[in-house]
Amino acid sequence: MNSRKLLSEARRMFPATKVRWQQPSRILIVDVTSPSWTNTCSVLSEALENTLCLACSWTGPCRVPLLSLYVVQSQQECLLPFTQVRENFARIQACISELRALPREGCFPQGGSGVVQAVQDGLQQFKQYSRHIAGGSTNSFVEITILTSQSSREMVKQLEKKLKDVDLVSLRRIQVIEVLKRDFLEPEAVEQCMPAEEPSSNDIAILGMDIDVQTVEDNVISLEMLFKMWLHDYGTEREHLHLFLPSGGFSQATAPKTTIICLKCDLQERLLDPALLSGAVDGTMRAADVTSPCQMAAWPATVLYKLQVVKALKSEGVCESVLYGLPLIIKPTSCWQLDWDELETNQHSFHALCHSLMRRKWMLLAKREPQNTGPSWNIMVHSYYILVPSDSATLLVRAVATRELLLPSAFPALLAEHPEGERGPVESALNSLEVEVAYNPLHLKSNLYKYLKSTLYKPQPRQQAQPREQRPERHQPKQHPSRARATVAPLRMAPPPAQAFRAAAGRRDACEDSLFPQEYEEFLQ
């Protein structure tokens, strides 16, 4: 973890009171004045659609509550006013189709003023949405992601200059993503977005607000991983886990048993739980119960877990068949409520632990303390976890089976000698396989995106027929063209999601009959 970035995190201007867990709303600003927009357009649209189909299909706590999309051409234009992502995939997909249909390269002059105006308009739209439409119940913060092929340093300078007098209370972070064109890309070169060279601290702070500067290659996988960062929990209101170690390392003789070292950590998911994707299950699955004694959940971070290290294990002595559940990543906390000295000391202690475990080739066995200690929990159930070190300054945590969960198994040992008649064909089959040094999940696809999109594309059930006199007219005369532009005009309040969706659907339904077939039969009767 970068020390200076951690310091910048700690300096953010949060309220002094404790903030309840929330995911920020999102504003995506796409600068289409790029010379390479022809190639970026298709890969950006596909990556955005893939990520949002996951967000729309997720049955757990909402990860992307609101989304707004701007494009910057000769001036800014709002393609998607603030919309609740869940149950609105049809509207989001229509917006992405508009993005694909934009004119290609060479049509618009480059310049950063449109991006700054889009930032200002998005913040104003968010304030109006929160105040008038959501009644103040929506999320209190918004994050802005800017995709551009212009110099990220120049973009930061323009933002710093133009946003000095703008109200940034609701703005949590700005990401400036510089999209780099690569004419020749090998599959092995397609990786996650890499941080750009970090500018000086004066270039990335506006009134205490951070501006993240990154570069990303213009391919589907890189942009998809960028958007999937939205699905993580980046709340820094509190730490997620306390890891307790006996003082004096692993030798109990040199220190009293009452003396402990507490490492304050955050949890991060490595994978999405496929059981929580509504299109992939029968709908009976539920999110992980954070109060369950047999599992931990990184999402939502509403529970402070406590793990007590009880033993060290040799790495080669752990059988993977007794590990269960989705893996979680443990990293040093970035909780803003801790002062800088404590954050730095905690980070250094965590790194020292990872180095020592890697050098010794050890794993840790830890016991989780139960969350509930009330009278209803007369018998406490303890769960145990294996902590696996890595060279990335993180620990991998996996639940490990106890005696109560273990089933009997008796498997015969391998034969010392193999009949040559059966060994030859097996060896020949193995020799024909392609061998890779390491497994890369980015090289495998399961068609899950296509399946989720087909599920989300299913038409909504028809409403019951209403009497003709109570039925609203389907064909609305276009007497006020200015109202049709209300959703894209700067500093104009966006319509409610349902109303805007009906307006967009009206263009598609203009050629349909004013009555559905079932309604028409009832009308004739």
Side-chain angles (χ1 to χ4, degrees), residues 180-190 217-219 222:
L180 302 180
K181 183 177 180 180
R182 291 290 183 267
D183 295 328
F184 303 98
L185 285 176
E186 297 295 335
E188 292 77 8
V190 179
E217 295 176 349
D218 59 346
N219 58 72
S222 297

Side-chain angles (χ1 to χ4, degrees), residues 2 4 152-153 156 176 178 180 194-201 203-204 211-215:
N2 188 286
R4 194 167 70 188
S152 56
R153 290 178 177 270
V156 168
V176 178
E178 184 177 351
L180 302 180
M194 299 176 297
E197 181 183 355
E198 191 173 344
S200 62
S201 57
D203 293 335
I204 60 173
I211 296 184
D212 269 354
V213 179
Q214 295 180 352
T215 60

Side-chain angles (χ1 to χ4, degrees), residues 14 49 62 163 174 183 193 218 236 260 305 312 471 485:
F14 288 98
E49 188 177 26
C62 184
L163 298 181
I174 296 179
D183 295 328
C193 55
D218 59 346
T236 57
I260 58 175
Y305 297 105
R471 202 177 299 134
R485 297 190 298 269

Side-chain angles (χ1 to χ4, degrees), residues 389-520:
S390 71
D391 55 3
S392 62
T394 59
L395 296 172
L396 182 71
V397 56
R398 296 287 306 275
V400 63
T402 56
R403 188 180 79 178
E404 296 89 342
L405 300 178
L406 199 62
L407 293 175
S409 59
F411 303 108
L414 284 174
L415 296 176
E417 298 181 358
H418 308 279
E420 291 296 333
E422 287 76 13
R423 182 176 181 180
V426 172
E427 290 289 339
S428 177
L430 293 178
N431 291 336
S432 66
L433 294 177
E434 179 184 356
V435 179
E436 292 189 1
V437 177
Y439 170 70
N440 188 344
L442 299 179
H443 294 167
L444 293 182
K445 294 191 299 184
S446 63
N447 288 329
L448 179 61
Y449 290 140
K450 292 182 179 179
Y451 178 79
L452 294 178
K453 291 174 188 177
S454 67
T455 304
L456 295 169
Y457 285 151
K458 289 183 179 180
Q460 299 296 325
R462 301 287 191 181
Q463 295 181 356
Q464 295 183 355
Q466 299 178 357
R468 185 181 181 87
E469 59 274 8
Q470 299 180 7
R471 202 177 299 134
E473 294 292 336
R474 290 173 61 86
H475 301 284
Q476 299 293 339
K478 298 180 180 180
Q479 298 178 356
H480 304 284
S482 61
R483 293 182 182 176
R485 297 190 298 269
T487 60
V488 299
L491 305 182
R492 195 78 61 87
M493 184 178 69
Q499 176 182 344
F501 177 76
R502 289 195 296 270
R507 297 193 296 271
R508 184 180 67 248
D509 298 336
C511 60
E512 296 180 359
D513 295 332
S514 58
L515 298 176
F516 297 118
Q518 181 181 356
E519 296 173 290
Y520 184 65

Side-chain angles (χ1 to χ4, degrees), residues 10 21 33 38 66 87 104 250 434 468 492:
W21 169 85
T33 62
T38 300
L66 296 172
E87 301 180 359
R104 300 305 172 95
F250 302 104
E434 179 184 356
R468 185 181 181 87
R492 195 78 61 87

Side-chain angles (χ1 to χ4, degrees), residues 313-362:
L313 303 171
K314 294 288 186 179
S315 298
E316 63 273 12
V318 178
C319 178
E320 294 189 14
S321 66
V322 298
L323 304 179
Y324 66 92
L326 290 178
L328 295 175
I329 305 297
I330 298 179
K331 59 183 182 179
T333 186
S334 56
C335 174
W336 63 269
Q337 299 194 55
L338 304 180
D339 58 40
W340 165 243
D341 291 336
E342 185 176 0
L343 283 171
E344 188 175 35
T345 301
N346 184 77
Q347 176 182 327
H348 291 166
S349 299
F350 189 93
H351 287 193
L353 174 64
C354 292
H355 279 292
S356 297
L357 292 177
M358 289 288 291
R359 186 180 70 255
R360 298 169 184 245
K361 297 182 179 180
W362 280 4

Side-chain angles (χ1 to χ4, degrees), residues 29-34 72-73 109-119 144-163 174-179 199 202-206 211-214:
I29 300 175
V30 182
D31 181 9
V32 302
T33 62
S34 161
V72 177
Q73 305 175 33
Q110 291 193 16
S113 59
V115 172
V116 177
Q117 292 174 6
V119 171
I144 298 177
T145 302
I146 301 171
L147 289 177
T148 180
S149 66
Q150 301 183 43
S151 169
S152 56
R153 290 178 177 270
E154 293 299 323
M155 185 68 68
V156 168
K157 290 180 181 179
Q158 295 181 34
L159 292 171
E160 183 182 24
K161 181 179 179 181
K162 299 292 181 64
L163 298 181
I174 296 179
Q175 283 183 305
V176 178
I177 310 298
E178 184 177 351
V179 182
N202 294 329
D203 293 335
I204 60 173
I206 300 178
I211 296 184
D212 269 354
V213 179
Q214 295 180 352

